[in-house]
Each structure stands twice: as C-alpha cells, then as structure tokens.
C-alpha cells in the first residue's frame, strides 16, 4: 500500500539512505498508476532523490514526466528493444541512469563478456552526448551459491571501471542469497567492493554502518 511505501521511505531516509530506489512491479499491480501515486506522496515526505526502478519503459516515462527533481533510471541494458527508448527518455528529462551489462541473449558471467557489454553501452551513451557524470555502471552482482566466482568477477569489474573513471553501483543482496548470516556476508562483501572503488550500492542502509567507507 502507499502508506507502507511512505513508511519504508521514511525509515530508509532516517537510516542514512542517500537516495531511495522505487520499484513497484508486482503481480496484479497497475505499476504505472502506483508509481505515479507513490511519487506524489514521496515528493512531499522526503528530500531524498529517487531512483526510478522498472523494467517497463512506459512506467519510467510516466515517472519522469511527473517527478519534480532529477531522477536516476534503474536501468538501461543492452536489450535492443528498450535501449534507444530509455536513452531518449534520459535525454528528454535530464535523468541520470544506470548502465546494466546485460543483453537479451544471456547473463554475462565472465569478466571479459561483462566489460565488452559495458564498453558498447558507454560508447552509445557518449555518442548520444552523455558524459561520465550522467551514468553509473552496475557491476552486476550474482549469487555466490550458484556462481562461486561471482564475487571475484564483480570486484574485477569495479576495479576495471574505476581505472576508466566510470562510477559504479551494485545491488548488494544477491551476493548472499541462499546462505545463512546474509547480513554478515553482505557487510563483508560491501567492504571488499568499497576497497575496489565502488561508488554506490543499493542496500538496506543499516548494512553499511559497520563500514568506515563513504558510500551512497
């Protein structure tokens, strides 16, 4: 419900979140309508910038048209059917965006496959007159229980991006899915990622408190 969305936003902001990721995609939910309603409420109850998180470009467009600030789009991938539309929306509404190293073909588990997709996406963004300050690269956290080398690949990707002055972000919680003591694993991996040069993370703000690093 909207009251739950508002309560969670206040809780996350109070815990130190620098921005709030808004994802309302769920079964039997009119995502476009709910996104508009949620933004209307959040715009007056928090001063935190919002991340518009949806797999549907129509939802993102409706949100950007309505949102009074400069939003962050989560995300633009290598999927051809959506890529051009989302780049155009970012340009029209002056939005920041996250580049996600995925294509419609497969999940890139290898470091070399991941960086090849990043290079193509960055090239397209630059060709559209965006700068490095307009986007983050999602280093694409995969689950350790399914891919034991996932953590190393994420850290390699962050380091590679850091050398090229690309800002990076991760969705942290995937790393520990299926394991006990998930909070401990998340905190530990977040520390490793910060040391590799990570700029921001989508996390429960409480999970960053044991760290001395400054992350968004």
């Amino acid at each position: 419900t909207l009251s739950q969305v508002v309560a969670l936003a206040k809780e996350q902001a109070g815990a130190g979140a620098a921005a709030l990721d808004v994802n309302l995609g769920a079964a039997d939910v009119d995502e476009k309508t709910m996104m508009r309603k949620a933004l209307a409420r959040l715009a007056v109850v928090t001063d935190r910038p919002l991340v518009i998180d949806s797999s549907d470009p129509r939802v993102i467009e409706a949100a950007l048209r309505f949102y009074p600030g400069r939003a962050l789009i989560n995300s633009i991938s290598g999927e051809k059917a959506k890529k051009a539309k989302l780049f155009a929306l970012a340009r029209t509404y002056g939005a920041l965006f996250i580049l996600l190293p995925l294509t419609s073909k497969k999940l890139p588990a290898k470091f070399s496959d991941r960086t090849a997709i990043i290079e193509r996406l960055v090239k397209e963004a630059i060709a559209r007159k965006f700068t490095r300050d307009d986007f983050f690269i999602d280093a694409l956290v995969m689950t350790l229980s399914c891919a034991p080398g996932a953590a190393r690949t994420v850290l390699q990707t962050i380091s590679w991006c850091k050398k090229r002055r690309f800002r990076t972000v991760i969705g942290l919680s995937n790393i520990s899915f299926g394991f006990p003591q998930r909070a401990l694993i998340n905190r530990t991996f977040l520390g490793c990622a910060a040391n590799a040069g990570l700029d921001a993370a989508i996390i429960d703000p409480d999970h960053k408190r044991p760290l001395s690093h400054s992350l968004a």
Side-chain angles (χ1 to χ4, degrees), residues 55 57 75-87 100-105 117 121 124:
S55 60
S75 56
I76 301 176
S77 72
E79 188 177 349
K80 291 182 180 180
K82 298 179 181 178
K83 182 172 50 176
K85 174 68 172 176
L86 291 172
F87 273 131
L100 183 66
L102 283 174
T103 67
S104 56
K105 295 180 180 179
I117 297 172
L121 286 171
E124 290 185 53

Side-chain angles (χ1 to χ4, degrees), residues 5 22 28 38 53 85 88 111 120 147-148 153 162 174-176 184 192 214-215:
V5 171
V22 185
D28 300 321
D53 188 350
K85 174 68 172 176
F111 169 69
R120 290 198 298 270
T153 303
K162 188 71 173 179
N174 277 353
I175 197 71
S176 62
L184 178 59
C192 293
S214 178
L215 286 171

Side-chain angles (χ1 to χ4, degrees), residues 13-41:
L20 301 174
D21 188 89
V22 185
N23 185 324
L24 299 173
D28 300 321
V29 170
D30 182 341
E31 187 183 2
K32 185 176 177 180
T33 298
M34 284 299 293
M35 180 66 77
R36 289 283 301 269
K37 290 181 178 179
L39 293 185
R41 295 286 299 277

